[in-house]
């Protein structure tokens, strides 16, 4: 197949040139004798430089040291600039300083969309305004968010300042009163929860005590005790009929006992009704299950014993199918598994 390949591909499979022949050496390099034998460096030590004449080594600055040096230089430069500006600053001859500082009100956190007319309409109710200066950025021309309002008199400025202070005091007072009211409500809720918990625990203890007393009475009376009514046994009396409680026959303790007694009766009657409903539901379920079992047994008996043959499965439930039953004919019996007529085993 290779003879059909083109020349450029045949050149890839061509063998390489043979390795050229070289005559062997007479002696190996380590076998040759040199005119100057090898020696150490001891004769050349005197040619070395004297360490005392060498220059001191230069130490390079680390990154942390360079950053600290730049920071220190920046602080020193800024301090010099501040000192120079303080020497040259004269507030009385400053062309940018206008108005009286004692009549000027500083307003901060101003919305960027607020205009000078809005500020004037908001603050001129406290007195006549002489000038409003809103500060803008020199680069972008956008507002910086603060302004200076100069009044005609000092009392307007003081009135506005006092109004703002009173507003902040009212706001703090309302927040404190709201927090105090929240704490009071939380304490009341915790007290109500504790009171309800104590009431429930006392009721549970009283119920357990009366239950123990009733069991003891039933255990002591034996079989002579009467059957309980539908609403349940009435709890034992708290004392003789003629004996009065600490608050009299109609005191709060007696009324509380009556309420607990009525509540227990209603709970007991509710439990009885729920138990009756469960019992009726179970009875209906068992009845339906028995009907289904009887129908299944009737169908199997009809299919195994021929058409119209009665094997005695009509009207029987699951319990009757679990027992061996004798059929009408001889020693045969019905198998409980499938209801078929089976022959008895020979004795």
């Amino acid at each position: 197949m290779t003879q059909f390949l083109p020349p450029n591909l045949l050149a890839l499979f061509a063998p390489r040139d043979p390795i050229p022949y070289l005559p062997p050496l007479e002696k190996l390099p380590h076998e040759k004798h040199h005119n100057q034998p090898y020696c150490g460096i001891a004769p050349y030590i005197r040619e070395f430089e004297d360490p005392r004449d060498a220059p001191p080594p230069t130490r390079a600055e680390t990154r942390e040291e360079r950053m600290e040096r730049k920071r220190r230089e920046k602080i020193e430069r800024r301090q010099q600039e501040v000192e120079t500006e303080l020497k040259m600053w004269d507030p009385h001859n400053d062309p940018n300083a206008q108005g009286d500082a004692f009549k000027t009100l500083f307003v901060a956190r101003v919305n960027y969309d607020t205009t000078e007319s809005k500020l004037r309409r908001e603050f001129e109710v406290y007195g006549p305004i002489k000038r409003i200066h809103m500060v803008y950025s020199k680069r972008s021309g956008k507002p910086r968010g603060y302004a200076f309002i100069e009044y005609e008199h000092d009392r307007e400025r003081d009135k506005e300042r006092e109004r703002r202070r009173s507003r902040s005091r009212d706001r703090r007072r309302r927040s404190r009163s709201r927090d105090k009211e929240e704490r009071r409500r939380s304490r009341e809720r915790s007290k109500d929860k504790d009171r309800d918990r104590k009431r429930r625990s006392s009721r549970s203890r009283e119920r357990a005590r009366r239950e123990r007393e009733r069991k003891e009475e039933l255990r002591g009376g034996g079989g002579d005790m009467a059957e309980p009514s539908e609403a349940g046994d009435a709890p034992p009396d708290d004392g003789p009929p003629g004996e009065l409680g600490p608050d009299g026959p109609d005191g709060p303790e007696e009324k509380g006992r009556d309420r607990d007694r009525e509540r227990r009766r209603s709970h007991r009657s509710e439990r009885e009704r729920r138990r009756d409903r469960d019992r009726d539901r179970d009875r209906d379920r068992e009845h339906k299950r028995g009907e289904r079992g009887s129908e299944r047994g009737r169908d199997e008996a009809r299919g195994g014993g021929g058409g119209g043959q009665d094997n005695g499965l009509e009207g029987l439930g699951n319990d009757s199918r679990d027992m061996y039953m004798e059929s009408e004919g001889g020693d045969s019996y019905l198998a409980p598994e499938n209801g078929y007529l089976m022959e008895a085993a020979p004795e």
Side-chain angles (χ1 to χ4, degrees), residues 1 29 43 53 91 99 119-120 179 188 202-203 222 229 238 262 297 307 317:
M1 290 294 294
D53 299 338
L119 285 177
R120 184 178 296 276
D179 296 341
E188 290 180 357
S202 62
R203 288 177 182 176
S229 61
D238 296 331
E262 292 296 334

Side-chain angles (χ1 to χ4, degrees), residues 193-247:
K193 289 181 181 179
D194 295 340
R195 194 180 301 110
D196 295 340
R197 192 182 301 107
K198 290 180 181 179
R199 189 182 298 111
R200 286 196 298 269
S201 62
S202 62
R203 288 177 182 176
S204 62
R205 287 196 297 270
E206 183 68 19
R207 193 180 299 111
R209 184 183 63 81
R210 293 186 180 183
E211 187 67 22
R212 286 197 303 271
E213 291 179 358
R214 191 174 68 84
K215 288 183 179 180
E216 290 177 359
E217 290 180 0
L218 291 175
R219 194 182 300 109
D224 298 337
M225 299 298 293
E227 290 293 329
S229 61
E230 288 186 1
D233 295 335
D237 296 336
D238 296 331
E243 184 178 355
L244 301 178
D247 298 331

Side-chain angles (χ1 to χ4, degrees), residues 89-106:
W89 181 64
D90 187 6
H92 301 286
N93 299 326
D94 189 3
N96 297 325
Q98 300 177 6
D100 188 2
F102 295 96
K103 299 179 183 179
T104 304
L105 183 67
F106 173 73

Side-chain angles (χ1 to χ4, degrees), residues 70-333:
K70 289 183 178 181
R71 187 182 66 83
R72 187 168 54 252
E73 291 176 356
K74 184 177 180 180
I75 292 174
E76 293 176 356
R77 186 170 58 255
R78 184 57 184 168
Q79 288 179 354
Q80 293 177 0
E81 292 177 359
V82 169
E83 291 176 358
T84 306
E85 291 177 358
L86 285 176
K87 292 178 181 179
M88 297 174 60
W89 181 64
D90 187 6
H92 301 286
N93 299 326
D94 189 3
N96 297 325
Q98 300 177 6
D100 188 2
F102 295 96
K103 299 179 183 179
T104 304
L105 183 67
F106 173 73
V107 183
R109 300 180 66 181
V110 180
N111 191 359
Y112 295 147
D113 299 333
T114 304
T115 59
E116 184 176 346
S117 60
K118 292 182 179 180
L119 285 177
R120 184 178 296 276
R121 186 172 61 253
E122 180 69 23
F123 287 93
E124 68 181 358
V125 296
Y126 305 101
I129 296 177
K130 182 179 179 181
R131 188 177 63 91
I132 295 178
H133 176 64
M134 297 188 66
V135 181
Y136 293 90
S137 177
K138 294 181 179 180
R139 293 183 178 179
S140 61
K142 296 181 179 180
R144 298 290 299 275
Y146 60 94
F148 298 92
I149 301 175
E150 183 181 359
Y151 284 93
E152 293 287 348
H153 308 285
D154 295 346
R155 58 178 179 271
E156 283 80 8
R157 185 207 57 187
D158 298 338
K159 189 186 301 182
E160 170 63 16
R161 187 180 301 168
E162 184 62 26
R163 184 184 70 87
R164 289 182 175 274
R165 289 178 180 175
S166 62
R167 184 184 298 176
S168 63
R169 284 196 298 268
D170 294 340
R171 198 161 41 242
R172 287 195 298 270
R173 189 183 303 110
R174 284 195 299 269
S175 64
R176 284 197 298 268
S177 62
R178 189 164 50 251
D179 296 341
K180 188 182 297 183
E181 184 67 20
E182 289 293 334
R183 287 194 296 270
R184 186 182 63 81
R185 290 180 181 177
S186 64
R187 285 196 298 270
E188 290 180 357
R189 285 195 294 268
S190 62
K191 287 181 181 179
D192 293 340
K193 289 181 181 179
D194 295 340
R195 194 180 301 110
D196 295 340
R197 192 182 301 107
K198 290 180 181 179
R199 189 182 298 111
R200 286 196 298 269
S201 62
S202 62
R203 288 177 182 176
S204 62
R205 287 196 297 270
E206 183 68 19
R207 193 180 299 111
R209 184 183 63 81
R210 293 186 180 183
E211 187 67 22
R212 286 197 303 271
E213 291 179 358
R214 191 174 68 84
K215 288 183 179 180
E216 290 177 359
E217 290 180 0
L218 291 175
R219 194 182 300 109
D224 298 337
M225 299 298 293
E227 290 293 329
S229 61
E230 288 186 1
D233 295 335
D237 296 336
D238 296 331
E243 184 178 355
L244 301 178
D247 298 331
D250 296 334
E253 294 185 0
E254 188 66 25
K255 292 180 180 179
R257 294 194 193 97
D258 294 339
R259 284 196 299 270
D260 295 342
R261 194 178 298 115
E262 292 296 334
R263 191 180 295 106
R264 281 193 293 274
R265 287 199 189 99
S266 63
H267 291 174
R268 191 176 294 111
S269 61
E270 181 66 25
R271 287 196 298 273
E272 291 291 339
R273 287 195 296 271
R274 193 181 299 110
R275 193 180 301 111
D276 293 339
R277 287 197 300 269
D278 296 341
R279 191 183 301 110
D280 295 339
R281 187 166 54 254
D282 295 341
R283 190 184 298 110
D284 295 340
R285 193 181 294 110
E286 291 293 337
H287 181 66
K288 292 179 181 178
R289 190 184 296 112
E291 289 180 354
R292 287 196 298 270
S294 62
E295 291 176 359
R296 190 183 302 108
R298 193 183 304 111
D299 296 339
E300 292 175 355
R302 188 180 297 110
Q309 184 179 358
D310 186 8
N311 291 331
L313 294 177
E314 296 182 357
L316 298 180
N318 291 337
D319 297 334
S320 60
R321 294 191 60 197
D322 293 336
M323 298 183 300
Y324 289 98
M325 300 176 60
E326 294 183 359
S327 64
E328 298 177 358
D331 297 334
S332 61
Y333 65 93

